[in-house]
Amino acid sequence: MENLHTPRWAWVLTGSGHFFTESFALIHELEHCDIFVSKAANEVLRMYKLKLDFPDTMRVLHDKTASSVPVGAFYHGVYHTVVVAPASSNTVAKCVLGISDTIATNVFAQAGKCRVPAIVFACDTAPELETMAPHGLVKVYPRRIDLEHTERLKGFERTEVVESLAGLKAAIRRRRAELESDD
């Protein structure tokens, strides 16, 4: 990709399988998007037999450096929006506690430091959930601490936490409309 269109979307894939395939499909609806793939997300991609095949307007960035070198682009205005979807309980907890030791948590931290709006599709949002695993539907019972972290994340500046696939789609639509009205 010779001429990188900026600003662009930054989409973070984590190790959560909760609506993973549906979130993954939404990436294909965006133009000019960089996909940040955590080490855990690589495992989930294999479980769901998904390939990182994207158009030329997109780049895939893997978690291969200790300091997550690709996140430096936030300081140069490369991104207008970050989407973390789906966000594992591990990623949400680290984001809430200010820990940025993976590409996922580093992207979220740098977005905050650079005042780039974030949309986070948290996987642990209710005391009891049903989610599709690679081999079928399963029940999940998030711990109280996971639910508390999701609630705390809702209070972060420029961060919209969504709790459903419909909420994620609506948040992306709203952000697109904001971006179009800024043009």
Side-chain angles (χ1 to χ4, degrees):
M1 181 181 322
E2 291 181 19
N3 293 324
L4 184 69
H5 180 275
T6 59
R8 52 198 296 111
W9 295 86
W11 193 296
V12 180
L13 293 172
T14 75
S16 174
H18 187 62
F19 288 101
F20 190 91
T21 56
E22 295 86 349
S23 296
F24 190 80
L26 288 175
I27 297 170
H28 289 275
E29 296 178 15
L30 300 176
E31 275 194 300
H32 310 297
C33 180
D34 288 348
I35 301 95
F36 293 83
V37 183
S38 71
K39 290 177 184 175
N42 269 320
E43 295 172 2
V44 176
L45 285 162
R46 283 192 300 277
M47 283 190 274
Y48 286 93
K49 296 177 175 52
L50 295 170
K51 302 277 186 233
L52 294 168
D53 297 329
F54 294 103
D56 289 341
T57 62
M58 299 187 182
R59 298 184 302 175
V60 176
L61 304 162
H62 292 274
D63 199 353
K64 292 185 177 184
T65 64
S67 62
S68 299
V69 172
V71 302
F74 279 91
Y75 291 96
H76 303 289
V78 172
Y79 302 104
H80 58 64
T81 310
V82 169
V83 179
V84 184
S88 67
S89 59
N90 185 51
T91 297
V92 169
K94 287 181 175 187
C95 290
V96 166
L97 298 174
I99 299 168
S100 51
D101 63 350
T102 67
I103 201 164
T105 55
N106 244 311
V107 166
F108 182 79
Q110 299 315 309
K113 291 176 184 181
C114 295
R115 297 183 173 169
V116 173
I119 301 166
V120 180
F121 181 17
C123 63
D124 291 332
T125 58
E128 184 177 321
L129 300 164
E130 286 188 344
T131 191
M132 188 59 69
H135 302 291
L137 202 61
V138 296
K139 283 202 177 245
V140 179
Y141 306 93
R143 304 168 301 167
R144 184 173 62 233
I145 191 69
D146 299 325
L147 297 172
E148 289 169 2
H149 285 145
T150 298
E151 280 304 309
R152 283 189 61 197
L153 191 61
K154 290 177 182 179
F156 276 50
E157 310 87 39
R158 293 178 190 78
T159 301
E160 179 178 358
V161 177
V162 297
E163 300 186 7
S164 67
L165 186 61
L168 176 60
K169 290 177 181 179
I172 291 170
R173 265 193 317 273
R174 280 191 302 276
R175 185 63 181 138
R176 275 183 160 153
E178 289 171 9
L179 294 166
E180 288 171 8
S181 70
D182 289 346
D183 286 341

